[in-house]
Amino acid sequence: MLKRLTALDLFLIMFVLMFYGRLSVVLFIPQYAIDYGIPAPYYSLHFAMVSVGSAVSNLLSIILLRHVNPKKMFLAIGVISGIYEVLLYLYPSPETLLVSGLLIGLAAGTFWSLTFLMVCELIDAHGLSTTDAFSRYNVITTVMSALTPLVAGAIVQAFGYSIWLLSALAFLVISTVIMAFFKDPIYYKTYGQYPIKEDLGKVLGNKRTVITFLLTMLFMTLTVSTWSSLSRVFFANIGIRSVWLGVLSVVVSAVTIIVYWLLARKRFGTRRMIATLGIIIFAAELLLITFTSDPLIVFILEGVVGTAGIAAVSFATQNILKNTFQERTYIGRPIFALGMYIANAIWFAACGYIIADCGGYTAVGQILGITVDQLGFRMLLLIMALLTVLWAVSMWKYEGAMVKDRKD
């Protein structure tokens, strides 16, 4: 049976195992921190450290790939991920939360850059169908994004945090061992002769790149990315935790697929209209969640309403990244990600200050005459809702470059 497996099959098996070994821990760290009594200010700092680590890893990936082959880098990712999981297992403390955030970021940025690069290399080296290879990669990523939180949440709920961490570590060890036995020449390739200056010039000299950078970095990462990270603290505080957080992830993936399928079959207006409507829907979710702590209502708002909005935005603007960074651009994606993560790190630190200054996660107060708990976090939600309004306005101002409709 093993002989019938292709090089792509073997890589995707390793990818699945390492995906679970990493993501199953990352998603539940906020809940872990709350239950171990780690002070709330460290939550935002943890996410800031994740962004710092991701920024550094994207820069390092450009440098290291000139001298270090992908196989060694994958092995390093396995070791780094194993270290932060062991630290979380042995020392549940504020310091560990910050160190683990940095290590998670270091592993995450390089992991995604490498997996994308390896799929491209496997296509070229073995004459595979680009459509088939990337379809399998994207489907597996989508399925794992849904099932990993569900399985990990069930483990946390049934067996506790120790087994949760040990199970993730086991998957990491297995995936790292598999990678150690890979002999395909593509895993030993370096990219020292790549024309970095020419590639960088193409990326930064393109006006579309600058506008894409502003759209994604200043709006999506300051709203959607912030919410997707800090919301897990909010969810844990209102009772959406463990297996229910996993169920929520499944619903989010299902709704995203449905929205993409519907929009792909029938265009309900221009890309600008679809993107703007999606942003407004997401803003409505933030505003409504500001005034409720009911787990069921929040579950529906996040899993269905907000997810549908973000999926619509992603569908309408997907050609931006495709046209800006061509499929095999080596330096464009890491440089773009570097700026995005630096902005995220600064913003997460600012978010922590805003939340603390407004009373944190424990304060009770009034917003527009309505009494709410977690006052500090809800004030941040209002700020993010305002940012989404600016985002929607930008979609109209820069329509030509951002969401240009294509006939193909």
Side-chain angles (χ1 to χ4, degrees):
M1 180 178 177
L2 288 175
K3 292 183 179 180
R4 291 199 297 267
L5 295 175
T6 66
L8 179 62
D9 293 331
L10 292 172
F11 174 77
L12 291 177
I13 290 172
M14 187 282 302
F15 171 71
V16 167
L17 295 171
M18 190 169 282
F19 187 108
Y20 179 85
R22 290 185 51 261
L23 193 66
S24 61
V25 169
V26 173
L27 291 173
F28 289 90
I29 285 181
Q31 179 179 318
Y32 161 95
I34 292 171
D35 290 349
Y36 274 104
I38 296 175
Y42 287 93
Y43 306 161
S44 296
L45 290 177
H46 166 78
F47 293 120
M49 293 302 288
V50 172
S51 296
V52 169
S54 297
V56 171
S57 68
N58 274 277
L59 184 60
L60 281 177
S61 66
I62 299 172
I63 300 170
L64 291 178
L65 280 172
R66 294 171 65 89
H67 310 286
V68 181
N69 64 57
K71 180 175 181 176
K72 291 181 179 179
M73 293 181 68
F74 270 117
L75 295 177
I77 291 172
V79 172
I80 291 172
S81 300
I83 290 173
Y84 69 69
E85 291 178 359
V86 170
L87 287 175
L88 289 168
Y89 179 83
L90 296 175
Y91 308 107
S93 66
E95 294 77 16
T96 296
L97 200 65
L98 298 185
V99 173
S100 67
L102 180 64
L103 295 178
I104 287 168
L106 286 173
T110 309
F111 177 72
W112 291 111
S113 297
L114 280 179
T115 53
F116 183 87
L117 181 62
M118 287 301 96
V119 173
C120 292
E121 291 290 353
L122 285 166
I123 290 171
D124 289 349
H126 298 278
L128 304 176
S129 165
T130 300
T131 300
D132 177 67
F134 272 105
S135 294
R136 292 173 63 187
Y137 173 71
N138 291 329
V139 167
I140 288 174
T141 301
T142 301
V143 171
M144 288 300 296
S145 296
L147 295 184
T148 296
L150 184 62
V151 174
I155 292 174
V156 171
Q157 185 162 313
F159 305 105
Y161 293 110
S162 295
I163 299 299
W164 161 67
L165 288 166
L166 291 175
S167 66
L169 185 61
F171 274 85
L172 271 177
V173 170
I174 295 171
S175 64
T176 305
V177 169
I178 291 175
M179 172 54 69
F181 283 97
F182 280 177
K183 301 298 183 182
D184 196 302
I186 69 165
Y187 297 109
Y188 296 89
K189 183 178 179 181
T190 56
Y191 298 82
Q193 302 303 315
Y194 194 92
I196 289 181
K197 291 184 179 179
E198 292 82 350
D199 192 5
L200 184 59
K202 291 178 182 178
V203 172
L204 299 182
N206 187 342
K207 182 180 178 181
R208 178 183 292 275
T209 306
V210 178
I211 295 176
T212 301
F213 184 78
L214 293 174
L215 170 71
T216 306
M217 185 189 75
L218 294 181
F219 292 113
M220 184 167 284
T221 63
L222 301 187
T223 55
V224 179
S225 296
T226 305
W227 167 248
S228 66
S229 296
L230 293 178
S231 64
R232 296 201 295 273
V233 179
F234 175 71
F235 293 154
N237 284 333
I238 66 171
I240 301 177
R241 46 173 47 230
S242 301
V243 71
W244 285 108
L245 185 59
V247 173
L248 178 60
S249 297
V250 173
V251 173
V252 166
S253 296
V255 171
T256 299
I257 292 171
I258 291 171
V259 171
Y260 262 77
W261 182 77
L262 289 173
L263 292 176
R265 288 176 62 87
K266 182 175 178 60
R267 183 69 60 80
F268 299 93
T270 65
R271 288 183 182 271
R272 179 175 67 171
M273 288 296 298
I274 294 171
T276 304
L277 179 60
I279 295 169
I280 292 173
I281 292 173
F282 175 62
E285 179 205 6
L286 296 181
L287 286 174
L288 292 172
I289 286 180
T290 301
F291 301 103
T292 182
S293 292
D294 186 292
L296 179 58
I297 295 176
V298 172
F299 189 100
I300 294 173
L301 287 173
E302 170 65 6
V304 180
V305 179
T307 298
I310 294 305
V313 177
S314 298
F315 176 87
T317 59
Q318 62 185 331
N319 64 312
I320 300 173
L321 292 176
K322 179 182 178 182
N323 294 340
T324 301
F325 304 124
Q326 296 303 316
E327 187 175 278
R328 295 306 304 274
T329 300
Y330 168 64
I331 197 172
R333 292 173 185 271
I335 286 293
F336 177 83
L338 173 66
M340 181 182 73
Y341 286 122
I342 290 174
N344 249 4
I346 296 171
W347 177 238
F348 274 126
C351 289
Y353 175 80
I354 292 170
I355 292 171
D357 190 59
C358 295
Y361 291 95
T362 58
V364 176
Q366 288 194 336
I367 298 178
L368 300 179
I370 300 175
T371 301
V372 297
D373 56 6
Q374 303 188 65
L375 180 63
F377 180 76
R378 295 180 194 274
M379 292 300 294
L380 178 63
L381 286 182
L382 290 179
I383 294 173
M384 288 196 294
L386 176 60
L387 287 173
T388 59
V389 174
L390 297 177
W391 184 11
V393 171
S394 75
M395 299 303 295
W396 290 80
K397 183 173 178 59
Y398 298 109
E399 175 199 11
M402 282 185 177
V403 287
K404 182 179 179 181
D405 284 288
R406 299 177 62 187
K407 294 180 180 180
D408 54 347

